[in-house]
Amino acid sequence: MSNNKKLLIIGGTGYLGQHLLQSFSESQKSFDLSMAFTHHSSPPPNLLLQSLPHATPFQVDLQTGHGFDSISHTFGQPDVVVNCAAISIPRACETNPTLAMSVNIPSSLVKWLSSFTESNTLLIHLSTDQVYEGTKSFYKEDNETLPVNVYGKSKLEAEEYIIAKCSNFVILRSSIIFGPQTISPVSKSLPVQWMDSVLGKGQETDFFHDEFRCPVYVKDVVNIIQILTNKWISDGEKMGLLLNVGGPDRLSRVQMAETVAHVRGYNTSLIKPVSTSSIDRGVKSPSDISMDIRV
């Protein structure tokens, strides 16, 4: 491998994508790293381009694979690809299952990677805790996967596709990712920011008391991806890993809101615990997909 290493982030304008670009650009001094990212909407946010002038943007349509050729010609074969792109709002997946499957199963990306003569790219793919059924606590990686909604099904099919087609990959089953807003603010609602906003306004708000996840801090997810990237670049040993990526605590939405209230000094009586069965969200949701993250 040459000294100059190439990192490509698929979905670089999204929440995790932007945090990865920012973090890698701060730490790229440790080795010579060229960075590129893909975006679906055009043009990419100006704020992001100004903040990260060394990261090259490419417009790519994951459904058709249109745009990957341009990366081959001007950036070349990446050493590491991190796939953060997905339709990740469960209700949107339920409404349009065909679109969800075509975007969330990265067939065009994997086909593009297989077009290079040497298979020396590590694919790090973001999956979800929603591949689990949610009928028990603390799922381990080898427990049965039985998703209850289209989002979970599309992500499980993506895992199976990657395992079948790729020789060098890491699949990260992530829980809810929380943390600070991105350089160019993302439009989708961020859980902690939303809780802070409604409680800060003194609004009584319903929160589920009977749905459990292991929310994970965005910088922890970024660190894991950086460690895996550095490992592949430094020792070049192919991987085939599937890992749960959750935070240390099994929490309900009520407990998350209470934590925000305690930290910010809000009145916890604003938090109204309700059952998930009391609200129709237009999509079935697993009730306990807390994960065992012990190695």
Side-chain angles (χ1 to χ4, degrees):
M1 292 186 185
S2 67
N3 286 336
N4 176 253
K5 300 302 175 189
K6 294 175 182 172
L7 169 75
L8 172 65
I9 293 172
I10 308 290
T13 56
Y15 184 70
L16 179 60
Q18 287 195 50
H19 277 288
L20 282 166
L21 285 168
Q22 190 177 3
S23 200
F24 270 106
S25 64
E26 286 162 6
S27 66
Q28 72 187 124
K29 301 161 194 70
S30 54
F31 48 83
D32 192 10
L33 188 68
S34 300
M35 288 194 301
F37 66 93
T38 74
H39 56 98
H40 184 243
S41 53
S42 186
N46 249 334
L47 212 51
L48 189 63
L49 296 177
Q50 288 161 6
S51 305
L52 303 166
H54 305 300
T56 313
F58 292 94
Q59 187 170 13
V60 169
D61 184 334
L62 284 178
Q63 283 184 277
T64 60
H66 184 74
F68 279 124
D69 282 353
S70 166
I71 302 177
S72 303
H73 295 143
T74 55
F75 186 68
Q77 180 177 0
D79 294 282
V80 177
V81 174
V82 185
N83 182 26
C84 307
I87 296 174
S88 58
I89 297 166
R91 192 167 12 189
C93 295
E94 220 63 30
T95 314
N96 194 339
T98 311
L99 180 67
M101 291 290 178
S102 65
V103 172
N104 291 354
I105 300 165
S107 51
S108 62
L109 168 61
V110 170
K111 281 171 188 159
W112 173 65
L113 289 176
S114 66
S115 71
F116 293 103
T117 46
E118 289 188 49
S119 63
N120 52 9
T121 298
L122 171 65
L123 173 60
I124 301 173
H125 174 79
L126 269 293
S127 189
T128 174
D129 51 3
Q130 295 211 35
V131 297
Y132 299 118
E133 186 180 12
T135 52
K136 68 188 202 83
S137 305
F138 299 115
Y139 281 87
K140 293 180 163 64
E141 287 89 347
D142 58 359
N143 285 161
E144 186 185 17
T145 45
L146 201 63
V148 300
N149 56 36
V150 171
Y151 174 57
K153 284 171 189 161
S154 70
K155 297 299 273 185
L156 181 58
E157 281 195 35
E159 290 185 5
E160 290 165 350
Y161 185 85
I162 289 165
I163 290 165
K165 304 277 185 188
C166 298
S167 60
N168 190 21
F169 64 86
V170 180
I171 293 166
L172 304 175
R173 286 180 180 161
S174 166
S175 185
I176 297 170
I177 298 175
F178 70 93
Q181 182 56 277
T182 43
I183 295 170
S184 173
V186 291
S187 57
K188 90 171 192 178
S189 173
L190 301 177
V192 170
Q193 282 81 346
W194 178 77
M195 290 171 179
D196 184 37
S197 149
V198 292
L199 297 173
K201 288 178 190 145
Q203 289 177 11
E204 272 196 8
T205 308
D206 292 344
F207 292 96
F208 298 130
H209 64 76
D210 54 356
E211 195 174 277
F212 296 91
R213 311 280 291 271
C214 290
V216 61
Y217 185 50
V218 66
K219 304 280 172 76
D220 290 339
V221 182
V222 167
N223 284 343
I224 290 165
I225 291 167
Q226 287 190 298
I227 289 164
L228 290 164
T229 298
N230 295 346
K231 183 173 168 18
W232 168 239
I233 284 172
S234 62
D235 69 20
E237 279 182 32
K238 289 192 175 179
M239 297 179 230
L241 295 173
L242 192 154
L243 301 170
N244 281 339
V245 178
D249 302 309
R250 170 184 178 268
L251 298 173
S252 68
R253 292 294 201 286
V254 167
Q255 290 168 311
M256 287 176 72
E258 283 172 349
T259 305
V260 171
H262 289 312
V263 168
R264 303 283 280 157
Y266 301 141
N267 188 343
T268 53
S269 69
L270 297 168
I271 299 164
K272 297 296 171 197
V274 298
S275 166
T276 51
S277 59
S278 66
I279 293 171
D280 179 14
R281 286 175 280 175
V283 59
K284 197 171 177 203
S285 197
S287 55
D288 187 345
I289 41 177
S290 54
M291 297 187 290
D292 185 339
I293 55 164
R294 292 171 301 176
V295 177

